[in-house]
Amino acid sequence: QKEALQFLEEAALRYGHALALVRLGNEALELAKKSSVSAEESLINTDKCADWIDESPINLSQILAQSSKTIDNDTEGDESISPYISLAHLLYEEAGKAGSAEAWYNLGHLLWDRSGDDEETIMKAMEAFNKAVDLGDSDAMYFVGAQYLSQQEDDEAGYQLLVRAAHEYNHGPALHHLALLSLQGEDKDEFCGLLTKAAEAGNPDSLFLQGYCFYHGEDGYEVDMKAAMDNFLAAAENFEHVEAMVSAGGVLPQRGV
């Protein structure tokens, strides 16, 4: 495992490989969850990597400077931010510049999760998400679209992002969201079609909801106890969906499925 991490480190920091930078950023976030990290566990060998500064296509000096803070456990003014989180930020940013949609999406979440009510951090998070959208990341499309709709900032742009994620990328949560919007508009045929696609895409909430509709014969679905059980079991077994577990347990004795 240590040797594999060394190769990952070289691909990321010496050659600026985007996916390797993302994976190294993910490792940094895992270390950020620890209460303390020994020098032996340090993510980056700063002495070794210093030899790559001149040939590396990324801003390696800045990354090594931040990596040194993780060894010294130096939070430099803001004790609420782990130096490993700051390191992950830099790694994701470099990967994003190299064309990684995943990097911008991860950076967006990193910023969003610690933004609180800070408008500047929220804005930076949304900028990162939108860069991921521009690179075709369907998760980012769904996140940004859902945020626009929930905040009523730009309903049409939000709706179109959901449509793009759903129909171009078969994104389960986006399909599910559109299905619920159709139900609000009382278009049961569209609701059934979108919910079926979302369930087929493996979205656990859609599997549960479709099972519920089959069980009760509601919202365009006819009663089908076997289909209901199949949906509940798929959500429970594959995704540990708690409500589906409860429903699956309830269908069997009551209906003899």
Side-chain angles (χ1 to χ4, degrees):
Q1 184 176 359
K2 188 173 182 180
E3 184 179 9
L5 186 59
Q6 289 173 348
F7 281 124
L8 180 67
E9 175 186 81
E10 184 168 4
L13 304 181
R14 185 177 186 178
Y15 299 107
H17 191 280
L19 181 57
L21 285 162
V22 172
R23 296 294 175 262
L24 209 58
N26 295 347
E27 291 290 334
L29 289 187
E30 286 301 312
L31 288 174
K33 297 175 184 178
K34 291 190 172 186
S35 58
S36 63
V37 180
S38 67
E40 290 73 20
E41 293 179 284
S42 177
L43 185 62
I44 294 173
N45 184 332
T46 53
D47 292 334
K48 177 183 175 183
C49 295
D51 295 335
W52 304 333
I53 288 178
D54 291 338
E55 64 178 301
S56 176
I58 65 175
N59 189 346
L60 185 53
S61 297
Q62 186 180 20
I63 289 173
L64 294 183
Q66 183 59 44
S67 182
S68 296
K69 294 177 185 179
T70 67
I71 297 172
D72 299 333
N73 198 28
D74 178 9
T75 54
E76 200 170 279
D78 191 347
E79 296 181 357
S80 66
I81 301 176
S82 161
Y84 275 107
I85 290 178
S86 298
L87 178 59
H89 184 140
L90 292 175
L91 292 164
Y92 289 148
E93 200 164 47
E94 289 292 346
K97 292 174 184 176
S100 171
E102 182 183 2
W104 288 124
Y105 179 74
N106 288 1
L107 179 57
H109 265 298
L110 186 155
L111 292 167
W112 186 270
D113 290 345
R114 61 184 180 88
S115 63
D117 295 326
D118 185 73
E119 291 296 329
E120 184 177 354
T121 305
I122 291 172
M123 183 177 68
K124 288 179 179 178
M126 291 301 288
E127 286 175 357
F129 283 127
N130 276 302
K131 287 179 180 179
V133 169
D134 291 341
L135 290 169
D137 189 286
S138 59
D139 288 331
M141 292 173 198
Y142 173 64
F143 184 90
V144 174
Q147 287 302 316
Y148 283 165
L149 290 173
S150 67
Q151 300 298 324
Q152 296 183 332
E153 292 180 8
D154 191 337
D155 286 355
E156 181 58 29
Y159 180 77
Q160 290 303 323
L161 281 171
L162 293 190
V163 168
R164 184 181 172 195
H167 297 303
E168 290 185 25
Y169 298 92
N170 200 39
H171 190 273
L175 286 161
H176 184 84
H177 200 135
L178 289 173
L180 296 181
L181 291 176
S182 297
L183 188 59
Q184 289 176 8
E186 298 185 357
D187 189 337
K188 292 185 178 180
D189 288 339
E190 185 174 82
F191 167 73
C192 291
L194 288 167
L195 186 63
T196 297
K197 288 182 180 179
E200 289 173 348
N203 187 57
D205 288 335
S206 303
L207 287 165
F208 168 73
L209 180 56
Q210 190 175 53
Y212 180 92
C213 291
F214 276 128
Y215 182 88
H216 292 280
E218 293 181 355
D219 298 323
Y221 287 87
E222 295 184 0
V223 173
D224 187 332
M225 290 298 117
K226 185 178 185 308
M229 177 62 93
D230 288 344
N231 276 267
F232 291 147
L233 288 177
E237 292 175 351
N238 298 323
F239 303 101
E240 298 183 354
H241 194 288
V242 176
E243 291 181 67
M245 294 178 187
V246 174
S247 297
V251 170
L252 189 59
Q254 292 181 32
R255 301 291 180 138
V257 177

